[in-house]
Amino acid sequence: MRFLTFLLWLAMVALIVFLATQPVSLTTHFVTAMIIIIIIAILKMFDRRGALRAVVLALGTSIVLRYVYWRTTSTIPPVDELANFIPGFILYLAEMYSVFMLFLSLFAIADPLNRPRRTLARDSVRPTVDVFIPSYNEDKELLAITVSAAKQMDYPEDRFNVYLLDDGGTDQRLESNDPQVAMAAAERRRELQQLCRDLGVNYLTRARNVNAKAGNLNNGLAHSTSEFVAVLDADHAPARDFLNETLGYFAVDPRLFLVQTPHFFINPDPLEHNLETWTRMPSENEMFYGVIQKGLDKWNGSFFCGSAAVLRREALEESGGFSGLSITEDAETALGLHARGWNSAYVDRPMIAGLQPETFANFIGQRSRWCQGMLQILLLNNPMLKRGLSIPQRLCYLSSILYWLFPFARLTFLFSPLFYLFFGLSIFDASGAEFAAYTTTYILVNILLQNYNWSRVRWPFISELYETIQSIYLGRALLAVLVNPTAPSFKVTTKGETTRFSRISELGGPFYVIFFILLAGIVAMVWRIVVTPSEAGVALVVGGWNLFNMLLIGGALGVVAERRQLRSSTRIAIERPAEIIYGDRVIPARIDDVSVNGARILVPANAMRSIRAGERIIMRFQPMAPLATNELPLTVRSVVRDEGGIALGSEFAVDDVRQYKMVADLVFANSDEWSRFQATRRKNIGVVRGVIEFIQLAIFQTVRGLSYLMRSAPTNKKAAQSDNAAAESNAPSAPPTFAGADPNAVVTGAGSTAALSGVPIGRSANHTPDR
């Protein structure tokens, strides 16, 4: 059936190509293209599945192919004009790469699959599961919460085992020639062994740090026996329903090797934090997990993403375990198993909550590993040459891999206008009328197609902004792989950072340089219009392109102008009854929101009139999981009184690691919280409003980014040194505030496990964030 569908699509594309290459006048093309654009805009208002979806994609594809034909046959400068031809042909290749990626992505998401839920019934047979939590250098407190959440999943205790796979306490590290490394590894092993004993889970390490995460997971396989393996990153805490909502799919398909679920994050990435878009705009990963993975799933091409997944042991053992040839062991493992005839499934329900990098430098480090690993797969394990894959699967993997070549195209688009503005080179041979008829309609169709496919998970030009902020550094990372495909090594991304001062990122310099170069391009455009009025049309068109690039770089300035992070964890809005034990009194209360560090508790107005910040209280509540105790000690950090009662901003005063089970129960037990918060951000604002939003954001962030530059360099340098010193000392780098605390009340003494968004997850997206 899939093969017949593929043939149908192939025939349709052949027909469209034939029609796109027929000679027509400029006016006919323009009128036809505008009619098609209007039709697509109208069809956007109807159901985006089935036949109508195929019609929209076919219409959009026809305009794109028409542009490709014109661009290829009419606009490339002559070869004998090398000064024009070389940059012109590079620009042409960048455009053709973008068009090719558009076609691959349209194929991949042609008919996204929404799988029905297959929740395990209470009386169904429960297969055995080993839960692997690989770790390298994460804090004990973060691991305690993740392990506690995993241990408390709603699943029979005798049917699953939790393993903390510690790669930071290996024999190799204990025997290091560096005494500090050896001492730290020994202390880590001792602490984590005790942690695992206290929480009732298994501690496992190995002799040597071979093959990074893949080797660590394979060591787990060698020391366990369950039918299925669940993989959770050290900062990915599961909800109670994770196993019950994933294992049911394996029962209906004996050849299913993987059930992957989304990576949901409870803190903003650097773009979301610094641009303050976290609560109102879909997160970056929602485009991949909300649409692309479902599209890949239709072609049996959804792949393992390293965490939040369950895998069948039989399949892993057949292929020799987790693959370690590249530093993206997850996608490589899935590729090998798909080639062996195994199937995968994607379930679009967030059931884990994880952390993203907080600083721009760590964000780039994470993305560098991703792009290098995917390029390694292309060079060392090319899906187009791998036997056993279907044609759709090859195209799906190719789409996911080749996407990471975007830095070359993005940098080309960024600097191409300057060849004309600075040097007068003609790298794009076209009249103003041809540009209006072909290029303008092509751009409009692209915007409409993106909005049609991604409207609820990606706003206009946000992808371009994300790609721009990565391209400066990822281009170098890709070149390193091309030079030596086996050179890159796995590096763990630092999470849970706080920053004491607002400052320009240590990686921000190139963006300011590029901004001023593009600004000089605007000056050059004005000069050309004044000096050569006959070229005013071309100068305005190229200058407009350069102005759009300035908006992108202006947005990037806002990203690298990093706002301070004083909060240490994300608040989650909940409604749970509780009791407060204050002295010899028991007072009824309600938990209003929680974080991994504290809670905001509401009590009656007259119940605790004498309470003051710094006092210690006990909170008692009914946990969702059966626990040995339901009492959790708190330290009051702020007291806010009003006519409705008293709000206590409190810090968890954990003095026994087993109390982290209660913290995990409060924060991570209910996956419905993640779905509700996700739904508040997944909204289609439309093309026109989306473009206006982007322009407003870019202008504001340009001004903000330049204002950071105007600050004295010694101040920024001092701030950076202070943050680095705090990080190296393993102390909180800033005094964090806690859930429910007065935004102006700064407290000390908290461990850092996550960066805090200003809005509690679960609240309305219209809630005003703390600033």
Side-chain angles (χ1 to χ4, degrees), residues 420-447:
Y420 170 78
L421 296 175
F422 286 162
F423 310 113
L425 298 178
S426 178
I427 66 173
F428 192 120
D429 286 346
S431 66
E434 289 175 321
F435 187 90
Y438 285 96
T439 306
T440 302
T441 54
Y442 166 68
I443 293 173
L444 287 174
V445 163
N446 257 290
I447 294 174

Side-chain angles (χ1 to χ4, degrees), residues 144-155 157 160 162 199 201 238-241 623-627 657-666 668-669:
I145 292 175
T146 302
V147 169
S148 295
K151 182 66 176 176
Q152 292 165 214
M153 286 189 287
D154 183 17
Y155 206 74
E157 289 188 9
F160 82 110
V162 178
L199 296 178
V201 302
R240 279 176 51 76
D241 60 354
M624 296 181 67
L627 300 177
V657 294
R658 285 167 290 197
Q659 292 168 344
Y660 280 114
K661 292 183 179 181
M662 298 185 67
V663 177
D665 187 275
L666 278 174
F668 299 106

Side-chain angles (χ1 to χ4, degrees), residues 437-512:
Y438 285 96
T439 306
T440 302
T441 54
Y442 166 68
I443 293 173
L444 287 174
V445 163
N446 257 290
I447 294 174
L448 282 174
L449 285 179
Q450 288 185 39
N451 184 254
Y452 183 84
N453 289 301
W454 324 110
S455 57
R456 295 180 63 247
V457 296
R458 182 58 52 86
W459 291 0
F461 301 124
I462 298 301
S463 286
E464 287 78 0
L465 179 56
Y466 267 103
E467 290 177 3
T468 298
I469 65 175
Q470 297 176 72
S471 293
I472 306 300
Y473 292 98
L474 263 57
R476 184 173 60 185
L478 290 171
L479 287 174
V481 179
L482 291 174
V483 172
N484 186 353
T486 61
S489 59
F490 189 100
K491 294 181 177 63
V492 177
T493 305
T494 303
K495 310 282 182 63
E497 295 174 298
T498 55
T499 51
R500 190 186 305 253
F501 301 97
S502 296
R503 63 186 178 91
I504 295 174
S505 167
E506 58 269 38
L507 300 184
F511 295 96
Y512 286 90

